[in-house]
Amino acid sequence: MYQQPSSPPLPIKGNVGGVGDFRSDTVTQPTDAMRQAMLAAPVGDDVYGEDPTVLALQARMIELTGHPAALFVASATMSNQLAARSHLTQPPHSVVCDHRAHMHTYEAGGVSFFTGASIIPVDPERYGARHLTAKAVGPNLCLDDDVHHAPTRLVCMENTMNGQVVPIENIRDVTRLARENGIATHLDGARLWNASTATGISLKEYCSHYDSVTLCLSKGLGCPVGSILVGSKQFIKKATHFRKMFGGGWRQAGILAAAAHYALDHNFPNLPNDHANAAFLAHGLASLGLELTRPADTNMVWVRAPFPASTLSNRLAEHGITVFSGDATELRFVVHLQITREHCEKVIDVVRDLVRTSEGVEKSR
Ligand SMILES: *Cc1c(COP(=O)(O)O)cnc(C)c1O
């Protein structure tokens, strides 16, 4: 028979360390202090709406975002999909979003699967812009009642987009255009924390432009699991119903909500440190002749080296540093809670050596 251990297996030691994992901010690990906060959480049955730690988290997110209701869910993907499903009620319908949007490219085709909507992906560069503008969205909205078409019922934006801040003017213009045409708006703000930290524009101001917003707790904020969906009371009621249908009704989820409370208190205020480390890394790599392919607005540094991306990532791996290659030439470094200034310095040192040797190779040719 299973025997409860007589003394709990403490102290908790979960964190690896010593290596720099720059692949993503999803790799962040709950710190010992966060784990202690989780241990201490009062809990109840969240499907009954009785988990005090979850209820307090949702109340806190209502306060932070200015939306009337909030729902704690398992992932940002779940949050986005619940939002799409709750907004989109009656086919035929379509969704307009940036062609790079996570909801479109990295959620296993969920929007079409769950809602029957077709996606209209827009490349803003075709309209001379880095991010969605009214000029880019306008011609892609389906507004007529021609029986051949699927009327647009939802416009989605994402901020940050691959680590870049979407300008507030774009947000104002696109959401105004949608509103004027009776179209709902959703923000995939998985990393809105980073945008707000970088610009000083409050979460509340950003969120005020949209009917619903997703915020992720398990990236830069360092929680093991969890995201938040905010919107109107009626919308969140519907999303809660769909969450149950999707199998996402969870019980003593306060254990996880406690991590979120800890993250709001300690890790959200730490984001300027991540951004400073990213800027330091970007500056260091640029000064060695690497091309910064996108502005390092927040916690991501995208670079192109004068040699194959794999040469660089393999060399870094020899030093225990892991990165994600966008393609054959581009590398992405994501700075987060468990990346230190020393890790960034190490990357710069390895790249300096590599640049020197490859110049040596060039000369000897
Ligand atoms: C990571 C991410 C998601 C999905 O988050 P999960 O919690 O891994 O499901 C959604 N949108 C954006 C913009 C993201 O970066």
Side-chain angles (χ1 to χ4, degrees), residues 54-254:
V54 171
L55 292 174
L57 174 63
Q58 290 172 172
R60 207 168 165 186
M61 292 308 301
I62 287 169
E63 192 62 39
L64 264 176
T65 63
H67 278 247
L71 184 65
F72 182 44
V73 301
S75 66
T77 300
M78 180 182 266
S79 181
N80 286 335
Q81 294 302 325
L82 289 174
R85 188 61 192 82
S86 303
H87 283 300
L88 298 164
T89 51
Q90 180 60 66
H93 44 202
S94 60
V95 178
V96 167
C97 64
D98 191 301
H99 71 129
R100 301 162 293 180
H102 195 282
M103 282 181 82
H104 172 47
T105 51
Y106 297 113
E107 298 186 9
V111 174
S112 300
F113 181 81
F114 289 122
T115 73
S118 44
I119 304 266
I120 304 174
V122 178
D123 179 358
E125 282 193 12
R126 284 191 48 208
Y127 302 86
R130 227 182 242 287
H131 298 287
L132 290 182
T133 55
K135 195 173 136 202
V137 169
N140 287 289
L141 296 175
C142 182
L143 300 172
D144 59 59
D145 55 3
D146 184 315
V147 295
H148 295 87
H149 300 157
T152 304
R153 301 284 183 233
L154 183 64
V155 169
C156 295
M157 295 181 82
E158 187 171 312
N159 197 8
T160 64
M161 168 62 78
N162 294 328
Q164 292 167 62
V165 172
V166 177
I168 192 76
E169 300 75 41
N170 297 43
I171 294 168
R172 285 203 191 101
D173 293 352
V174 170
T175 55
R176 186 188 303 124
L177 177 68
R179 223 171 12 255
E180 281 167 3
N181 289 287
I183 298 169
T185 55
H186 174 71
L187 170 64
D188 178 354
R191 296 193 180 91
L192 192 63
W193 318 99
N194 297 90
S196 175
T197 297
T199 59
I201 297 171
S202 66
L203 293 174
K204 203 175 257 178
E205 161 68 13
Y206 277 125
C207 292
S208 71
H209 297 280
Y210 298 94
D211 295 311
S212 60
V213 181
T214 290
L215 295 117
C216 186
L217 297 157
S218 69
K219 290 192 169 156
L221 261 58
C223 294
V225 167
S227 280
I228 294 283
L229 176 64
V230 298
S232 71
K233 285 192 172 145
Q234 200 189 3
F235 170 85
I236 290 296
K237 186 160 194 295
K238 193 178 278 181
T240 308
H241 209 149
F242 281 122
R243 184 185 69 168
K244 184 67 184 150
M245 186 199 274
F246 290 2
W250 45 13
R251 304 296 178 174
Q252 286 70 32

Side-chain angles (χ1 to χ4, degrees), residues 308-318 321-323 325 331 354:
S310 57
T311 307
L312 180 47
S313 57
N314 291 340
R315 182 66 67 88
L316 289 167
E318 289 166 16
I321 294 162
T322 45
V323 286
S325 357
L331 280 182
L354 196 56

Side-chain angles (χ1 to χ4, degrees), residues 38-39 41-55 72 243 248-259:
M38 295 170 76
L39 264 186
V43 295
D45 190 326
D46 182 52
V47 173
Y48 295 168
E50 290 175 2
D51 188 301
T53 312
V54 171
L55 292 174
F72 182 44
R243 184 185 69 168
W250 45 13
R251 304 296 178 174
Q252 286 70 32
I255 295 271
L256 298 168

